[in-house]
Amino acid sequence: MKKHNFSAGPSILPQEVLQKSAEAILDFNGMGLSLIEISHRSKDFVEVINEARATVKRLMNLSDEYDVLFLQGGASLQFAMVPFNLLKLGGKAAYTDTGVWASGAIKEAKKLGTVDIIASSKEDNYTYIPKDYTVGTEYDYFHCTSNNTIYGTQIKDFPAVDSLMVCDMSSDIFSRELDFSKFDLIYAGAQKNMGPAGATLVVVKKEILGKTGRDIPSYLNYQLHVDKESMLNTPPVFSIYASLLTLQWLENNGGIAAAEKRNKAKAELLYNEIDRNPLFKGFCNVEDRSLMNVSFQLTEESMKEKFDNAWKSAGISGLNGHRTTGGYRASLYNALPIESVQVLVEVMKSL
Ligand SMILES: Cc1ncc(COP(=O)(O)O)c(C=O)c1O
């Protein structure tokens, strides 16, 4: 039986994407060869990566001022690539600290220059999104994390800043409509809303590159990836192909606007039950609640065994909270159907 997969990442993908990916592993485009045993420079694969890059741009409604790259190293490597490419020698960057991933990004940037943490919710266990801050022209760039996967907080209104705007959208990319042209650089690991682990999406406004005065190691240099059309070295071909299929699935199902509607309906259903049922409580500030990762706890620890047994026997998987927060976390990524949320809510009601 197919499980209800609430995993935080790697996470659920559309069934048709898994089916088509499996077929391509055995025989790609009827070539008599597997997708993963042909050259990445072959016509068939170049079409895949180019279509994936074009589909990202269409979905995000971005102009040719932007380029789309599929890199490796996860979002974690972007923590270092961003300052390498945008933090000027002697310059400084502004970061918000909204969780483990944001502080990982801060740690890497500090190795290359001055970082000001202009807002933080660390003292309150990252249970809210800080809002009262400004970012002036003295900063080379501002970095934020749109969705804090572990705690289940999400930025609803992005600040207007007077510097470049960089965002880690790893756990809510393609999940809601945004004016993506407000951002100068966006990055995201594939393994939540886009595809299998392996590829990392980078969307970059080309004019911001080449201004730091740094000698950047080749793989870490966005400009080289732009020049080589995201083919500087052998790319993660399988992850890119499955990402293309997921992006096409998204486009064929109404694009980001329709996904946002579905995501809102799923999140509302679950948060309503958390708020209604005295056995549960949410982890973070109500106004900052994420549509993607719903973190919650039991109010009576004595119910843990009963609840755990109930959701496991209902065919639910991946509901345990992150090891740093404990409790539970239901990740409601684009490919999760509302029926899975209904099953979870029924289990919660039945306790
Ligand atoms: C918001 C966010 N940023 C960064 C990361 C790290 O991503 P990766 O494992 O691709 O390096 C994660 C992983 O879950 C994440 O949720």
Side-chain angles (χ1 to χ4, degrees):
M1 187 187 88
K2 190 79 187 162
K3 294 232 167 139
H4 300 288
N5 185 1
F6 288 89
S7 173
S11 47
I12 186 165
L13 290 172
Q15 192 60 24
E16 68 179 64
V17 168
L18 298 180
Q19 186 69 40
K20 285 186 193 163
S21 301
E23 284 162 17
I25 288 281
L26 294 173
D27 183 4
F28 180 47
N29 282 355
M31 297 170 82
L33 293 166
S34 167
L35 166 75
I36 56 172
E37 59 180 13
I38 59 167
S39 168
H40 59 292
R41 309 229 176 251
S42 63
K43 183 180 140 292
D44 290 72
F45 185 74
V46 170
E47 269 171 24
V48 168
I49 192 164
N50 285 344
E51 190 49 33
R53 295 167 73 213
T55 311
V56 168
K57 253 200 208 163
R58 272 200 309 277
L59 281 165
M60 292 180 142
N61 204 10
L62 287 173
S63 73
D64 287 340
E65 282 179 290
Y66 287 83
D67 208 343
V68 175
L69 307 172
F70 286 96
L71 307 182
Q72 302 191 57
S76 299
L77 185 60
Q78 294 310 306
F79 296 167
M81 279 179 77
V82 165
F84 255 117
N85 287 268
L86 302 183
L87 184 52
K88 292 182 182 142
L89 288 170
K92 57 180 185 171
Y95 277 68
T96 50
D97 181 6
T98 53
V100 163
W101 301 117
S103 53
I106 290 166
K107 189 172 150 209
E108 294 304 291
K110 278 186 172 167
K111 293 176 185 169
L112 294 186
T114 305
V115 171
D116 285 351
I117 299 171
I118 54 162
S120 169
S121 50
K122 188 172 181 180
E123 295 306 308
D124 288 299
N125 215 6
Y126 296 124
T127 48
Y128 71 97
I129 297 283
K131 294 169 195 85
D132 293 326
Y133 57 88
T134 52
V135 183
T137 49
E138 68 272 30
Y139 291 106
D140 293 339
Y141 66 91
F142 163 71
H143 179 284
C144 61
T145 311
S146 55
N147 185 73
N148 298 283
T149 325
I150 296 174
Y151 321 90
T153 58
Q154 187 174 35
I155 299 179
K156 304 288 154 126
D157 295 309
F158 286 87
V161 300
D162 288 330
S163 69
L164 299 182
M165 175 107 158
V166 177
C167 189
D168 174 359
M169 290 197 190
S170 289
S171 51
D172 66 352
I173 188 105
F174 306 123
S175 69
R176 57 176 168 162
E177 284 198 293
L178 290 175
D179 179 359
F180 293 101
S181 68
K182 269 190 174 174
F183 300 87
D184 296 283
L185 192 143
I186 294 167
Y187 63 88
Q191 65 273 13
K192 297 167 202 305
N193 264 339
M194 192 174 74
T200 311
L201 176 71
V202 174
V203 177
V204 58
K205 201 172 196 179
K206 287 177 276 189
E207 68 177 29
I208 71 171
L209 299 176
K211 303 202 165 133
T212 62
R214 289 179 194 278
D215 188 12
I216 307 170
S218 300
Y219 190 84
L220 305 188
N221 190 338
Y222 292 125
Q223 187 63 56
L224 294 184
H225 290 285
V226 169
D227 293 344
K228 298 287 179 187
E229 300 181 341
S230 200
M231 203 72 101
L232 179 65
N233 71 332
T234 314
V237 292
F238 177 72
S239 176
I240 294 171
Y241 179 66
S243 296
L244 169 62
L245 296 177
T246 311
L247 295 165
Q248 288 172 333
W249 168 85
L250 181 58
E251 214 169 32
N252 294 337
N253 284 280
I256 294 179
E260 177 173 1
K261 254 194 196 160
R262 293 191 292 270
N263 291 332
K264 279 189 170 152
K266 288 184 282 180
E268 194 179 287
L269 187 61
L270 185 51
Y271 283 123
N272 281 348
E273 179 58 18
I274 290 169
D275 292 340
R276 185 205 65 82
N277 192 329
L279 277 179
F280 296 97
K281 63 171 193 263
F283 180 79
C284 60
N285 256 21
V286 170
E287 66 176 16
D288 300 323
R289 281 174 165 178
S290 166
L291 296 185
M292 290 283 96
N293 309 98
V294 178
S295 286
F296 60 99
Q297 290 157 339
L298 278 166
T299 52
E300 287 176 37
E301 262 316 289
S302 58
M303 293 297 287
K304 181 169 166 33
E305 198 179 335
K306 191 173 178 202
F307 180 49
D308 288 353
N309 287 338
W311 60 260
K312 283 175 193 165
S313 34
I316 286 172
S317 162
L319 200 65
N320 286 323
H322 190 265
R323 59 190 180 281
T324 55
T325 53
Y328 300 92
R329 171 175 53 173
S331 296
L332 314 179
Y333 297 125
N334 283 350
L336 186 88
I338 195 160
E339 289 75 18
S340 291
V341 185
Q342 282 160 352
V343 169
L344 172 58
V345 166
E346 283 314 309
V347 169
M348 293 164 82
K349 283 189 173 151
S350 74
L351 288 186

